Each structure stands twice: as structure tokens, then as C-alpha cells.
Amino acid sequence: MHADKELDARGLNCPLPILKAKKALADMHSGQVLRVISTDAGSVRDFQAFAKQTGNELLEQQTVGGDHFTLIKRR
């Protein structure tokens, strides 16, 4: 899936991947997609909660090796 912006949060622990994603989404237009790559296993669950709380749409999550990929659509 196409992402308008990519955020590399590998090596960062909670809550930094969420905080950096929040900042990145603030600079994006409604409907644009942010792809986040993280290595913190807790970020998978954190992004699910983040999407529910903020109204942004969680499009997809997958784990490949030790990397967790999350696609979020800006509300």
C-alpha cells in the first residue's frame, strides 16, 4: 500500500514511536497515509489504542522479523 510519509522509529521505546507518529500526522493532510516502522513490540498494541483515541484510521499492521510496520490514515 502507498504511504505519503514514512517514519523510522526503530530502536525507540514506548512512548516515543507514538509521539513521533503524532507529530508526523499533525504535518499531514486529511486522508494521507503514514507508514511507521518500529522495533518496540509494544508499539503494535499502542498504535491500535492511538488510532481509536485520535480518530485516525489504522489501515494495516504486520511484523517482519523484528520490525513492526503500521499504516495509519490521517483523519
Side-chain angles (χ1 to χ4, degrees):
M1 174 173 248
H2 166 76
D4 297 290
K5 190 174 195 176
E6 184 169 291
L7 171 65
D8 187 347
R10 287 180 277 209
L12 301 177
N13 293 321
C14 180
L16 289 175
I18 293 290
L19 294 175
K20 290 190 173 283
K22 183 177 180 180
K23 184 176 180 186
L25 285 165
D27 293 335
M28 296 172 70
H29 297 291
S30 180
Q32 287 189 307
V33 176
L34 174 66
R35 180 178 190 236
V36 183
I37 307 167
S38 64
T39 50
D40 180 11
S43 69
V44 174
R45 181 183 62 254
D46 292 343
F47 277 112
Q48 293 167 1
F50 172 76
K52 286 180 184 173
Q53 291 173 355
T54 61
N56 294 301
E57 184 180 352
L58 182 64
L59 298 175
E60 182 181 318
Q61 285 186 304
Q62 64 178 197
T63 300
V64 178
D67 291 339
H68 307 285
F69 299 89
T70 302
L71 289 173
I72 300 175
K73 185 187 231 182
R74 171 92 157 88
R75 61 179 159 90

